[in-house]
């Protein structure tokens, strides 16, 4: 009894040992023979609905579009499983009964009459293809077990649908659905699913478009089998068998070419965008038609971006007028190209000045000639306007007030803000940039500018727009206050301004928008960027070659296209506009200075301001001055006599405004010359040399030396000044008269003496270059 027990015990241990060795050998094989990696995918780009709108070949030149799990509809899943492997959910990767049946049939017939490959085994074959043999079949069995251990049934089915061959270089049900039926897998009908299902068994003899009748015959044979097995409803079977098959191989979708190429660099196999195909088609059509009408002006390209402000999503992106245009560089992406922005950055500058308490809409700035270390900006029309309000300066895009405002704010603060708003070229060039950047002397893209203006539409809160559905949780930050944004929106939405296109007449039903134009130096780029509560649209026009065109301007070329785009995608929308926020109030200010009214201000105008932020300086543009009885001389408190004088109100003008009015022979009431017997006045009030700038270094070309301008500011009692170079008399000039000189190399002393004997000296250094 004991001997038998021990004998039986040894048998059990021997059996367990064999099983253990078998499992150990199996796991050793798993370690020695890891699963091959899945093949590379075709990159596909989809619109907001998930429709494939652009596709690229895989690295091995296959159309292998990845089918996601949620794209496997119950209909597709059931049809494929019933045809290929109806025991799929019940076996461990291999169907032993099917394999035994196939083995005996092959042995007795002497040829392969029945296969036994499960869906899992077919996946294994697609991952590691090779010539069919019994050894390959054994390897497939092993790989099938590997797949079942690592993946779920749903994932294995997904892998099968991703790699199943459909003829030529088409692999996967998604590629077949897109290229044969121009639809996604979940939109396939039962007839279309079954038509595709019969191709993988004979991909070379059943070619869609060439063998459609034979494909229909095979399809209907399987549908009849499904009818007999009562797998699908009778009505569904009948409809499927009656459905004609007119499919053929189409070209892969190539919509949205510029953005697709840009997004492809992410390396993701599927890129879901927020592009609205309907809006995209409209923008492409409008832009293409519009540019064709500009050809006679030698303007050949344009680009546009549309952002839905309600979701902060990019719903249209057009990089050129015609991607297929090889003559004018249609494949260049004008929306991402770095260009000079013209005046498009001015709204941000003025918004920041508002938040710093430096300006309000009615604040007055002088628009007269200035010179900052040799930089003398000019307005677009080469004219000066004298005193202007900030809102006038912005709506009329005046350059000199913008440069003055940037100098007042500080260019470094402005550069830092732009850098934080994804202006990459500005960030890279920050050490090179000067005051000219506010007039376009920097590099930006249409993507950056459109995102900036979308921030104005979001009441001053900036967020980089979502180009893909993976971008939906991007962080946001406040760039300007809601109050500053409201003031900008109010200014930029006025239509009575010079950049309103002269040839635009279709304004009756146009939605209300705020917009800003820009024209780069040399008329190489024309911009117009507008927004309302619903959309922000950015438009660029020009030539990719960089050639300037005399007729190219933001107002006359870019803005009409902007208006057409708004008229098309947001037609007749006047329902919503930006409301005055709680942190903005209204106050009375002096119309002459934009400051709080002083005791001598006779009139006032209303102005928006931000309490506790906006400046509270009181206006003193009128000053009571003591003059002689005949008004020939003026007095200060030190020299004023006890009798024989009177007090009069005089409007005080800055020196640059005095020079501007004198140059234009404008009459204004001047303060009489100061009492010549006064000694106190000679202690100060010497002329201020504005150009050249003290301690500056000037580089001058030897072959074509450019003279330097001598500019000074002097008191109202001065009529003539005298210039000295290196202590030698150079020239006498009326106040405001333009004077130029060509300096010698090395240190140069410049002196200016007014007709009252007051003097000012500055030193500069001059270098001549070859």
């Amino acid at each position: 009894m004991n001997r038998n027990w021990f004998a039986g015990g040894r048998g059990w241990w021997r059996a367990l040992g064999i099983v253990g060795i078998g499992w150990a050998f199996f796991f050793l094989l798993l370690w020695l023979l890891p699963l091959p990696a899945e093949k590379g995918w075709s990159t596909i780009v989809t619109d907001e609905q998930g429709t494939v709108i652009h596709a690229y070949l895989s690295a091995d030149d296959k159309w292998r579009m990845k089918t996601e799990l949620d794209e496997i509809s119950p209909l597709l899943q059931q049809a494929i499983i019933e045809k290929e492997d109806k025991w799929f959910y019940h076996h461990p990767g291999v169907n032993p009964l099917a394999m035994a049946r196939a083995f005996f049939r092959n042995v007795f017939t002497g040829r392969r009459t029945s296969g036994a490959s499960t869906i899992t085994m077919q996946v294994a074959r697609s991952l590691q293809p090779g010539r069919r043999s019994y050894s390959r079949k054994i390897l497939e069995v092993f790989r099938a077990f590997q797949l079942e251990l690592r993946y779920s049934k749903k994932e294995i089915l997904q892998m099968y649908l991703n790699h199943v061959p459909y003829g030529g270089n088409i692999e996967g049900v998604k590629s077949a659905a897109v290229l044969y039926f121009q639809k996604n897998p979940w939109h396939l009908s039962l007839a279309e699913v079954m038509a595709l299902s019969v191709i993988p068994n004979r991909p070379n003899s059943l070619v869609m478009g060439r063998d459609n009748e034979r494909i229909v015959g095979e399809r209907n044979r399987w549908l009849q089998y499904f009818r007999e097995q009562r797998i699908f409803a009778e009505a569904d079977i009948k409809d499927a068998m009656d459905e004609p098959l007119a499919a053929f191989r189409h070209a892969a979708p190539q919509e949205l070419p510029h953005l697709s190429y840009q997004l492809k660099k992410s390396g993701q196999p599927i890129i879901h965008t927020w592009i609205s195909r309907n809006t995209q088609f409209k923008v492409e059509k409008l832009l293409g038609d519009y540019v064709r009408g500009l050809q006679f002006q030698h303007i050949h390209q344009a680009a546009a971006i549309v952002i839905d402000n309600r979701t902060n999503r990019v719903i249209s992106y057009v990089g050129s007028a015609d991607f297929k245009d090889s003559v004018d560089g249609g494949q260049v992406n004008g929306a991402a190209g770095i260009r000079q922005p013209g005046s498009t950055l001015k709204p941000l500058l003025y918004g920041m000045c508002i938040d710093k308490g430096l300006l309000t809409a009615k604040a007055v700035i002088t628009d007269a000639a200035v010179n900052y270390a040799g930089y003398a900006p000019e307005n677009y029309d080469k004219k000066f306007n004298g005193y202007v309000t900030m809102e006038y300066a912005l709506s009329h895009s005046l350059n000199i007030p913008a440069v003055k405002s940037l100098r007042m704010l500080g260019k470094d603060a402005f550069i830092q803000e732009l850098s934080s708003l994804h202006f990459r070229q500005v960030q890279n060039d920050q050490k090179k940039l000067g005051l000219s950047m506010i007039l376009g002397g920097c590099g930006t893209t249409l993507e950056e500018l459109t995102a900036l203006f979308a921030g104005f539409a979001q009441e001053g809160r900036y967020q980089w727009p979502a180009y893909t559905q993976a971008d939906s949780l991007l962080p946001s930050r406040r760039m300007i206050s809601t109050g500053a944004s409201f003031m900008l929106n109010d200014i930029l939405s006025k239509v009575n301004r010079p950049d309103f296109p002269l040839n635009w007449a279709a304004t009756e039903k146009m939605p209300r928008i705020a917009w800003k134009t820009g024209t780069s130096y040399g008329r190489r780029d024309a911009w117009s960027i507008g927004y309302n509560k619903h959309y922000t649209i950015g438009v660029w026009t020009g030539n990719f070659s960089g050639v300037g065109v005399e007729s190219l301007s933001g107002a006359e070329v870019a803005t009409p296209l902007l208006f057409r785009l708004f008229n098309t995608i947001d037609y007749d929308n006047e329902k919503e506009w930006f409301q005055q926020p709680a942190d903005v109030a209204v106050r009375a200010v002096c119309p002459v200075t934009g400051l709080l009214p002083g005791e001598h201000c006779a009139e006032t105008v209303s102005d928006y301001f931000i309490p506790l932020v906006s400046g509270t300086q009181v206006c003193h543009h009128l000053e009571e001055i003591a003059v002689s009885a005949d008004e020939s001389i003026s007095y200060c408190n030190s020299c004023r006599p006890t009798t024989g004088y009177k007090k009069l109100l005089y409007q005080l003008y800055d020196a640059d405004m005095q020079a501007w009015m004198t140059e234009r022979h404008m009459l204004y009431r001047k303060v009489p010359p100061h009492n010549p017997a006064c000694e106190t006045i000679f202690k100060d009030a010497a002329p201020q040399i504005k150009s050249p700038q003290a301690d500056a270094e000037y580089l001058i070309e030897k072959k074509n030396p450019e003279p330097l301008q001598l500019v000074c500011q002097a008191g109202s009692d001065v009529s003539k000044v005298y210039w000295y170079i290196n202590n030698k008399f150079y020239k006498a000039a009326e106040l405001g008269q333009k004077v130029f000189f060509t300096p010698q190399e090395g240190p140069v002393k410049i002196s200016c003496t007014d007709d009252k004997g007051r003097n000012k000296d500055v030193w500069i250094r001059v270098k001549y270059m070859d």
Side-chain angles (χ1 to χ4, degrees):
M1 184 71 177
N2 290 338
R3 186 176 299 171
N4 292 335
W5 185 87
F6 280 113
R10 284 195 296 271
W12 279 106
W13 282 110
R14 187 179 298 113
L16 288 174
I18 292 172
V19 172
I21 292 172
W23 277 109
F25 182 70
F26 178 72
F27 283 109
L28 177 63
L29 287 177
L30 290 180
W31 179 69
L32 293 174
L33 301 172
L35 274 170
E38 284 196 82
K39 300 174 184 177
W41 304 107
S42 297
T43 300
I44 60 174
V45 180
T46 73
D47 69 356
E48 61 179 347
Q49 301 295 331
T51 302
V52 178
I53 57 176
H54 203 105
Y56 294 91
L57 284 166
S58 65
D60 57 349
D61 291 330
K62 301 286 187 181
W63 291 113
R64 191 183 300 116
M65 305 177 192
K66 186 176 183 180
T67 306
E68 296 182 291
L69 284 170
D70 58 4
E71 293 181 283
I72 305 175
S73 66
L75 175 66
L76 175 61
Q77 179 177 237
Q78 186 177 9
I80 293 297
I81 290 175
E82 288 293 340
K83 178 181 178 298
E84 295 294 331
D85 185 5
K86 64 181 178 181
W87 300 106
F88 174 67
Y89 284 107
H90 304 286
H91 61 63
V94 176
N95 188 336
L97 294 177
M99 290 191 69
R101 183 179 65 248
F103 175 77
F104 284 109
R105 287 185 180 178
N106 293 344
V107 169
F108 288 115
T109 61
R111 56 190 178 88
R112 188 179 182 275
T113 60
S114 175
S117 294
T118 63
I119 285 177
T120 310
M121 292 173 68
Q122 292 183 61
V123 171
R125 187 186 308 142
S126 69
L127 293 177
Q128 195 171 1
R131 296 185 63 181
R132 293 189 178 185
S133 64
Y134 285 109
S135 60
R136 292 293 306 178
K137 184 65 69 174
I138 294 172
L139 180 61
E140 286 177 17
V141 170
F142 172 71
R143 293 299 191 198
F145 286 132
Q146 276 186 303
L147 288 166
E148 293 282 344
L149 285 172
R150 177 175 295 185
Y151 300 105
S152 68
K153 289 289 187 180
K154 192 78 171 179
E155 290 171 326
I156 293 173
L157 180 60
Q158 179 190 14
M159 294 173 72
Y160 171 79
L161 294 174
N162 279 327
H163 294 89
V164 62
Y166 284 101
N169 63 343
I170 300 176
E171 292 185 9
V173 69
K174 188 166 189 173
S175 301
V178 170
L179 296 177
Y180 290 140
F181 297 104
Q182 296 186 303
K183 59 177 69 174
N184 284 332
W186 67 78
H187 290 146
L188 294 174
S189 66
L190 177 59
E192 292 167 339
V193 168
M194 293 312 302
L196 289 178
S197 71
V198 302
I199 295 177
N201 301 116
R202 297 154 61 187
N204 295 324
S205 60
L206 294 178
V207 178
M208 194 76 76
R210 186 191 71 185
D211 306 305
N212 283 10
E213 289 187 10
R214 296 174 62 192
I215 293 173
V216 169
E218 284 294 306
R219 177 197 74 181
N220 289 350
R221 184 172 68 84
W222 277 100
L223 287 172
Q224 181 61 33
Y225 169 77
F226 289 163
R227 171 184 282 164
E228 294 169 358
Q229 299 295 318
R230 300 183 183 278
I231 294 172
F232 296 104
E234 174 62 28
D236 294 337
I237 295 290
K238 184 179 184 306
D239 290 342
M241 295 182 75
D242 292 340
E243 185 174 314
L245 180 64
F248 60 93
R249 179 165 179 168
H250 299 269
Q254 299 293 302
E255 302 169 27
L256 196 72
H258 295 96
L259 183 59
S260 295
Y261 181 78
Q262 191 164 305
L263 296 176
K264 179 179 180 287
K265 299 174 184 178
S266 69
Q268 297 298 317
I270 304 177
I271 302 168
H272 297 290
T273 72
W274 293 113
I275 293 296
S276 165
R277 292 183 80 194
N278 184 40
T279 304
Q280 179 73 12
F281 291 151
K282 289 179 180 178
V283 174
E284 287 179 354
K285 179 70 166 55
L286 274 170
L287 196 143
D289 292 345
Y290 186 75
V291 169
R292 276 190 289 275
L294 298 176
Q295 299 289 334
F296 72 96
Q297 299 182 52
H298 306 293
I299 301 170
H300 302 290
Q301 284 298 348
I305 295 176
V306 181
I307 298 175
D308 189 330
N309 293 329
R310 294 158 292 190
T311 59
N312 197 46
R313 297 168 180 171
V314 176
I315 62 171
S316 180
Y317 187 106
V318 182
S320 70
D322 182 2
F323 184 79
K324 299 178 181 179
D325 181 4
S326 60
V327 176
D328 295 309
Q331 296 185 12
V332 175
N333 187 353
I338 298 173
R339 320 287 295 191
Q340 289 187 347
S343 298
T344 54
L345 296 177
K346 290 176 181 176
L348 177 63
L349 167 65
Y350 287 122
M352 293 177 66
C353 287
I354 291 172
D355 283 336
K356 289 294 184 182
L358 302 174
L359 294 173
T360 60
K362 293 295 192 296
V364 173
I365 312 170
T366 56
D367 179 26
V370 293
N371 190 301
Y372 299 122
Y375 174 55
E378 295 180 325
N379 287 323
Y380 186 77
D381 58 3
K382 310 294 185 182
K383 299 177 181 179
F384 303 107
N385 297 273
Y387 287 122
V388 296
T389 62
M390 184 272 276
E391 65 178 353
Y392 183 93
L394 176 56
S395 63
H396 287 65
S397 200
L398 300 180
N399 290 340
I400 293 173
V403 172
K404 287 185 173 181
S405 298
L406 180 58
R407 189 166 184 264
M408 182 168 51
L409 175 71
K411 72 175 180 65
D412 291 339
F414 191 62
I415 291 172
Q416 186 62 38
E417 182 65 19
L418 286 174
S419 299
S420 67
L421 300 178
H422 293 85
F423 282 74
R424 298 306 181 202
Q425 195 62 36
V426 170
Q427 186 176 22
N428 294 338
D429 296 339
Q430 55 184 310
K431 293 182 179 179
K432 308 175 186 177
L433 299 177
L435 295 176
S436 64
M437 67 177 298
I438 196 58
L439 308 184
C442 60
T444 62
T445 68
L446 183 62
E447 294 173 344
E448 295 167 347
L449 290 171
T450 309
L452 170 67
F453 278 71
F456 299 143
Q458 298 293 346
E459 299 181 338
R461 180 163 290 280
Y462 174 88
Q463 183 181 35
W464 184 252
Y467 283 84
T468 72
Q469 296 181 22
D471 298 336
S472 298
L473 297 178
L474 293 172
S476 65
R477 63 180 295 273
R478 181 158 294 285
M479 59 179 187
I480 57 175
S481 67
T482 56
S485 180
F486 169 75
M487 294 184 203
L488 293 178
N489 298 343
D490 183 63
I491 296 170
L492 295 176
S493 62
K494 291 179 169 61
V495 298
N496 184 22
R497 47 198 260 200
D499 62 352
F500 191 91
L502 298 174
N503 58 351
W504 182 260
T507 58
E508 290 186 5
K509 296 295 183 179
M510 185 177 142
R512 183 182 181 185
I513 65 169
W515 83 97
K516 182 70 186 76
T517 62
T519 306
S520 69
Y521 178 78
R523 295 178 180 267
R524 296 181 176 92
D525 310 278
W527 309 82
S528 191
I529 307 170
Y531 60 93
N532 58 16
K533 294 285 283 187
H534 291 169
Y535 301 102
T536 297
I537 303 178
V539 168
W540 169 88
T541 55
N543 294 306
F544 291 147
S545 63
V547 173
V549 179
E550 183 63 29
S551 60
L552 184 65
S553 72
E556 296 304 325
V557 178
T559 299
L561 177 56
L562 176 76
F563 286 4
R564 292 185 188 185
L565 290 171
F566 265 108
N567 250 355
T568 299
I569 68 174
D570 201 29
Y571 180 71
D572 194 21
N573 175 32
E574 290 283 354
K575 297 177 181 178
E576 296 182 73
W577 192 247
F578 305 97
Q579 301 300 311
Q580 181 177 333
D583 63 341
V584 172
V586 178
R587 67 182 180 185
V589 296
C590 174
V592 179
T593 61
L595 303 176
L596 294 177
E599 60 177 324
H600 301 302
C601 296
E603 298 179 356
T604 61
V605 294
S606 296
D607 187 21
Y608 289 117
F609 78 107
I610 304 176
L612 304 180
V613 174
S614 300
T616 57
Q617 184 179 351
V618 176
C619 175
H620 294 290
H621 79 284
L622 291 175
E623 185 173 327
E624 195 174 58
I625 298 177
V627 297
S628 60
D630 60 358
E631 301 180 19
S632 60
I633 59 174
S634 60
Y635 303 106
C636 63
N637 290 334
S638 299
C639 66
R640 185 179 62 198
T642 55
T643 60
Y645 71 91
K646 59 184 177 181
K647 290 184 177 181
L648 298 177
L649 287 176
Y650 288 89
Q651 182 169 344
L652 304 182
Y653 297 95
D654 295 333
D656 57 348
M657 283 301 299
Q658 293 182 41
W660 177 75
M661 290 186 288
T662 300
E663 185 176 317
R664 282 154 185 77
H665 307 289
M666 296 175 61
L667 298 178
Y668 65 97
R669 191 181 185 190
K670 297 183 180 180
V671 177
H674 197 75
N675 178 14
C678 179
E679 297 181 358
T680 304
I681 194 68
F682 288 95
K683 296 180 181 179
D684 47 28
Q688 298 298 311
I689 299 177
K690 295 298 183 179
S691 175
Q693 188 173 8
D695 302 320
E697 183 177 70
Y698 291 84
L699 303 178
I700 300 176
E701 293 183 1
K702 286 184 178 180
K703 293 183 179 180
N704 187 25
E706 185 175 346
L708 300 181
Q709 184 177 5
L710 297 173
V711 179
C712 73
Q713 289 184 359
S716 60
D717 58 340
V718 175
S719 59
K720 183 175 287 190
V721 294
Y722 304 88
W723 292 97
Y724 296 82
I725 307 298
N726 290 329
N727 297 321
K728 293 182 179 180
F729 176 73
Y730 178 68
K731 183 176 287 188
E734 300 294 328
L735 187 63
Q737 180 182 343
K738 292 183 179 180
V739 178
F740 296 88
F741 84 109
T742 302
Q744 66 184 29
E745 189 167 20
V748 178
K749 179 183 178 182
I750 300 170
S751 306
C752 181
T753 304
D754 65 18
D755 53 13
K756 302 296 185 291
R758 296 167 292 199
N759 181 75
K760 181 69 175 181
D761 301 327
V762 298
W763 285 87
I764 64 171
R765 178 168 290 278
V766 177
K767 285 186 178 180
Y768 277 87
M769 302 180 299
D770 294 327

